[in-house]
Amino acid sequence: ALVISHGDNDHAGGAPAVTAAMPPAEVYAPEGWAGPAMRRCEQGGEWTWDGVRFQWLHPTPYFPYLRNDSSCVLRIEARGATALLPGDIGRHVEARLAKLAPEIIRSDLLVVPHHGSDTSSSLDFLAAVRPSLGLLPVGHENRFGLPKPQVLARYDRYGVALLDSAGSGAIRLRLGHGGVQVVERWRQDHPRYWRHATPGGGTGYAIGDPPTAKVWRAGTDQSGRLGDGADHRAGRAGPGHHPRTLLEPAPQGSAAPGPGRGGP
């Protein structure tokens, strides 16, 4: 299935190319934007495929098409681990979702709503979801200045580790027993030959050096470290970058404590 969260070009613009290359059995989109051949995403709908459960949490029935706030919100559960994909919803929709039962809304992985805009990621929403890992879909040096520093501060308050697509490129994850595992970050695991590791920067592996741990496990303990050979660091990634929380490979031979869970 292909899910088009809503009609904005940064979410729907690539749909024709994707469907041409990999024709999906079904296409889901919100009411008011979905075409006649598409299925509607609507709260209460769910299905299971190969043991993985998919649930729609938004929009509600008869919800008007309001672009960002009409985004399809999808929760995925596999082997006890959960992920929440909220599209570009804002704080008003977040407030409704935050009132759902904990077993419905809590998720190990959260795709940061609206690319880290200050319209979203409210404190009540983060308190309800309680993610251990957040993914930031943002472009490098984007003109909107995303993610916003005040949004990053909210995630830091709840101890949520963050990865962004600007710094990591394509990110491959695995949901399963023990939570969420980050299996691959393309720019770190497949660096160009001219990219060297910079002191404290972690932008790539030095030429000739063996790769460090290639699996990052979400969740931090009180020391702020992550399991499976990764460090949890906050700060500036370099000139012109917004401050953000990063996961970087840990030094060779460093101890890696078991995963915990951040937040109050």
Side-chain angles (χ1 to χ4, degrees), residues 97-106:
L97 294 176
K99 297 177 182 177
L100 296 175
E103 62 270 18
I104 296 177
I105 190 62
R106 285 189 181 174

Side-chain angles (χ1 to χ4, degrees), residues 71-210:
S71 293
C72 300
V73 177
L74 181 64
R75 187 174 186 263
I76 303 171
E77 181 177 357
R79 297 181 178 179
T82 50
L84 187 64
L85 286 64
D88 280 356
I89 61 170
R91 59 177 61 93
H92 297 296
V93 175
E94 289 181 348
R96 185 188 70 79
L97 294 176
K99 297 177 182 177
L100 296 175
E103 62 270 18
I104 296 177
I105 190 62
R106 285 189 181 174
S107 301
D108 301 298
L109 169 69
L110 173 65
V111 177
V112 175
H114 204 183
H115 316 280
S117 168
D118 196 33
T119 62
S120 311
S121 297
S122 58
L123 288 174
D124 287 346
F125 181 67
L126 294 181
V129 178
R130 290 182 174 265
S132 54
L133 176 64
L135 296 185
L136 269 164
V138 292
H140 177 69
E141 299 291 351
N142 64 85
R143 63 189 177 95
F144 302 103
L146 301 176
K148 296 296 184 181
Q150 60 268 36
V151 173
L152 297 177
R154 295 173 205 155
Y155 284 89
D156 186 63
R157 173 174 175 175
Y158 282 96
V160 183
L162 295 174
L163 285 175
D164 66 12
S165 56
S168 298
I171 302 170
R172 189 158 59 95
L173 305 166
R174 180 180 294 116
L175 298 180
H177 300 301
V180 182
Q181 290 184 328
V182 182
V183 178
E184 182 179 53
R185 294 187 298 161
W186 186 263
R187 289 185 178 175
Q188 279 69 29
D189 293 328
H190 307 278
R192 300 290 188 179
Y193 68 87
W194 58 82
R195 291 181 65 87
H196 291 263
T198 57
T203 57
Y205 300 121
I207 296 175
D209 283 358

Side-chain angles (χ1 to χ4, degrees), residues 28 50 85 239:
Y28 289 89
D50 198 23
L85 286 64

Side-chain angles (χ1 to χ4, degrees), residues 35-51:
M38 299 179 184
R39 300 190 64 176
R40 276 54 171 171
C41 54
E42 186 176 283
Q43 183 185 18
E46 65 175 83
W47 73 97
T48 300
W49 182 76
D50 198 23

